[in-house]
Amino acid sequence: MGIVIDLSRAESYLGEDELREARGRAAAICRALYEKEDKDRVLGWRTEETSVLQLKQIKEKAAEIRREADVFVIVGVGGSNQAARGVIEALPRPKGPKIVYLGNTLSPYTIRRTLEGMEGKSVYINVIAKNFETLEPGSHFRILRQWMGSRYSKEEMARRIVVTGTRGSRLEEIAEKEGYLFLEFPLSVGGRYSAFTPVGLFPIAAAGLDVDEYLAGMAAALKDCREHGEDNPAVRYALVRQLLYGRGYDIEMMVSFEPRYGFFTKWWVQLFGESEGKDKKGIFPAASVYSEDLHSIGQYMQEGRRNLTETFVSVKEPGASVTVESCPEYGDGFDYLDGMDFGDINRAAEKATLEAHARGGVPCIRFEADRVSERSFGELYYYFMVACAVSGELMGVNPFDQEGVEEYKRSMFAALGK
Ligand code: PA5
């Protein structure tokens, strides 16, 4: 069935004429994106050349890791690890190595605890770094190489280290010199658009998840975006959030009643925050997990300043069933739930919340996937990446650069004496 979008509770804030005009503009931006892609291959994010050709290599190494590792360390930050983490942390995984993350913090406590957790275990690592200058992944790679160097022979280390970097980078030089498997991070792709390159594919495969299904989801969304320029979830979402932004709705909260989407929403925050927050413009992206956060941020959503849009990410099939059995002798006051399944309770709570917030003056958007699966992740990631590119262009910013991040990196390097 694919991803379904419901914009009715957001479009009601907008006029028919402005919607029609914006639809035309957004569809033209989407079309131009694909024309540029066909001519200059600017959207490296769908590359058959780099990712699919490497798929065989990716699957073979992933199978070895699944056979031989107790711990698989994914080293990367920002766009270099968020997409894979979003999928890996949401889906049930077949038996295999424990997956841990490094290269995404400067906390000595976290680094030490992670290293301690690796002691006595068979460890494989994947270092993902586009230009290999970023402090966190670069410094952690040093620490991990030292850690491995005192436990494995040079040959053994070479088998256990996979690096994902750009051609011509220092990381590639190191890989060549030391004999590490090198996977290509396409030069034309920014980290946050790298979900379908080896950056996302390799860790997802090593986690034992189905990359073919994931790519099939991407292909379906890609076809939809190419063929239905004006009427696909990406373009429709992008133009509505931009029209709302023009009316002062400059915060967007992505929420889900499914905690499994926690890292997916973090990915979304990164994608939109880094792509749109520039030139003193931008919709501030935030994320919350309901129902827990209804007991904190829910108050603000209902009655706070009316400058917020709320985007729900929902799933039809909850993936498990837990029924509330009748126990009248307990006298706990919850008999009204007797016989109900938590799938229904969660769905009812989501519907009620959405309606309450909409009544409270929050434009609400809702995406729904049929299941939390590799396929639906492929679709969601692709739609949101296109949406982000279109939305940034509508706003008049370049959604593909991140000068602000480079600026703080320079400042941090100066502080550390680089
Ligand atoms: O989207 C981006 O470009 C950034 O979030 C990068 O992914 C992040 O800064 C990490 O960069 P690198 O892979 O070069 O270490």
Side-chain angles (χ1 to χ4, degrees):
M1 173 64 186
I3 305 298
V4 176
I5 185 171
D6 177 2
L7 288 157
S8 57
R9 293 181 191 79
E11 285 179 342
S12 54
Y13 287 76
L14 306 164
E16 257 311 308
D17 289 346
E18 61 177 330
L19 268 168
R20 195 171 318 109
E21 190 269 332
R23 247 176 232 138
R25 257 188 312 136
I29 290 173
C30 188
R31 264 197 311 278
L33 210 61
Y34 287 112
E35 277 161 18
K36 259 164 98 184
E37 159 67 0
D38 290 340
K39 206 163 137 268
D40 304 324
R41 285 273 177 267
V42 287
L43 295 187
W45 7 299
R46 62 145 223 159
T47 55
E48 273 98 51
E49 294 85 347
T50 50
S51 57
V52 180
L53 284 183
Q54 287 184 82
L55 211 49
K56 192 169 167 285
Q57 209 175 12
I58 284 173
K59 285 180 180 172
E60 278 169 10
K61 195 69 186 176
E64 176 189 324
I65 291 176
R66 300 200 50 67
R67 261 192 331 268
E68 298 191 19
D70 300 320
V71 177
F72 175 53
V73 192
I74 301 172
V75 183
V77 71
S80 284
N81 82 348
Q82 301 271 13
R85 195 174 196 182
V87 182
I88 293 169
E89 297 302 321
L91 290 172
R93 296 196 296 272
K95 209 166 160 294
K98 178 169 184 232
I99 296 182
V100 298
Y101 301 88
L102 269 182
N104 57 352
T105 180
L106 295 172
S107 153
Y109 180 85
T110 306
I111 301 168
R112 175 60 57 211
R113 292 301 303 268
T114 310
L115 293 174
E116 281 167 4
M118 290 158 42
E119 214 47 76
K121 306 271 169 56
S122 163
V123 173
Y124 275 71
I125 70 172
N126 177 207
V127 179
I128 309 163
K130 185 167 178 187
N131 59 18
F132 197 53
E133 280 179 11
T134 308
L135 178 62
E136 295 89 339
S139 58
H140 291 198
F141 188 31
R142 158 91 66 98
I143 284 170
L144 284 165
R145 279 169 85 192
Q146 287 171 333
W147 188 93
M148 292 176 99
S150 59
R151 286 161 183 82
Y152 299 117
S153 68
K154 236 174 143 13
E155 296 69 39
E156 194 52 29
M157 249 172 99
R159 220 163 59 81
R160 291 171 179 270
I161 297 178
V162 178
V163 303
T164 310
T166 46
R167 290 266 171 228
S169 65
R170 192 189 293 237
L171 196 54
E172 187 186 21
E173 275 173 36
I174 295 173
E176 219 159 82
K177 181 163 167 271
E178 304 293 337
Y180 306 153
L181 173 62
F182 176 80
L183 297 172
E184 189 180 347
F185 192 143
L187 206 54
S188 62
V189 186
R192 57 195 180 277
Y193 295 94
S194 66
F196 301 109
T197 72
V199 174
L201 294 173
F202 182 64
I204 292 173
L209 300 171
D210 190 336
V211 285
D212 294 323
E213 270 295 295
Y214 174 67
L215 287 171
M218 178 215 72
L222 165 68
K223 188 166 182 291
D224 189 22
C225 291
R226 263 194 189 275
E227 291 178 6
H228 307 112
E230 209 176 281
D231 190 24
N232 66 69
V235 165
R236 294 180 61 210
Y237 165 68
L239 73 93
V240 165
R241 68 194 292 281
Q242 279 304 323
L243 289 176
L244 288 166
Y245 175 60
R247 295 194 172 201
Y249 293 91
D250 53 13
I251 297 177
E252 182 177 358
M253 178 75 93
M254 177 171 271
V255 301
S256 182
F257 275 74
E258 187 45 79
R260 297 163 75 188
Y261 278 137
F263 282 100
F264 165 73
T265 59
K266 211 167 145 64
W267 170 85
W268 173 87
V269 166
Q270 201 252 340
L271 174 66
F272 279 84
E274 211 168 62
S275 298
E276 289 192 330
K278 50 194 70 156
D279 306 340
K280 307 280 177 289
K281 297 181 193 172
I283 300 173
F284 184 83
S288 256
V289 175
Y290 289 170
S291 62
E292 184 173 10
D293 293 347
L294 284 174
H295 302 271
S296 53
I297 209 73
Q299 169 61 37
Y300 196 106
M301 296 308 288
Q302 193 65 51
E303 294 184 341
R305 224 183 126 207
R306 299 298 73 178
N307 60 339
L308 294 146
T309 307
E310 196 174 22
T311 298
F312 288 73
V313 181
S314 308
V315 58
K316 211 181 263 169
E317 167 55 55
S321 160
V322 177
T323 306
V324 183
E325 307 290 350
S326 171
C327 295
E329 66 279 17
Y330 284 9
D332 59 10
F334 286 91
D335 295 347
Y336 65 96
L337 298 175
D338 283 0
M340 286 175 81
D341 192 276
F342 268 95
D344 301 323
I345 297 170
N346 204 23
R347 200 168 303 115
E350 183 200 299
K351 189 165 181 285
T353 305
L354 196 145
E355 278 164 9
H357 290 177
R359 274 197 309 278
V362 178
C364 292
I365 298 171
R366 184 169 182 272
F367 284 86
E368 188 180 69
D370 45 3
R371 292 187 308 130
V372 183
S373 64
E374 288 91 334
R375 193 184 167 92
S376 66
F377 268 114
E379 287 177 68
L380 279 172
Y381 280 150
Y382 193 83
Y383 279 133
F384 278 113
M385 275 158 49
V386 173
C388 188
V390 173
S391 180
E393 298 274 347
L394 280 171
M395 192 187 273
V397 298
N398 178 353
F400 300 114
D401 67 5
Q402 61 279 329
E403 262 311 296
V405 174
E406 303 311 328
E407 177 57 31
Y408 96 71
K409 282 184 184 174
R410 278 192 287 275
S411 172
M412 201 157 67
F413 288 149
L416 292 168
K418 182 181 176 187

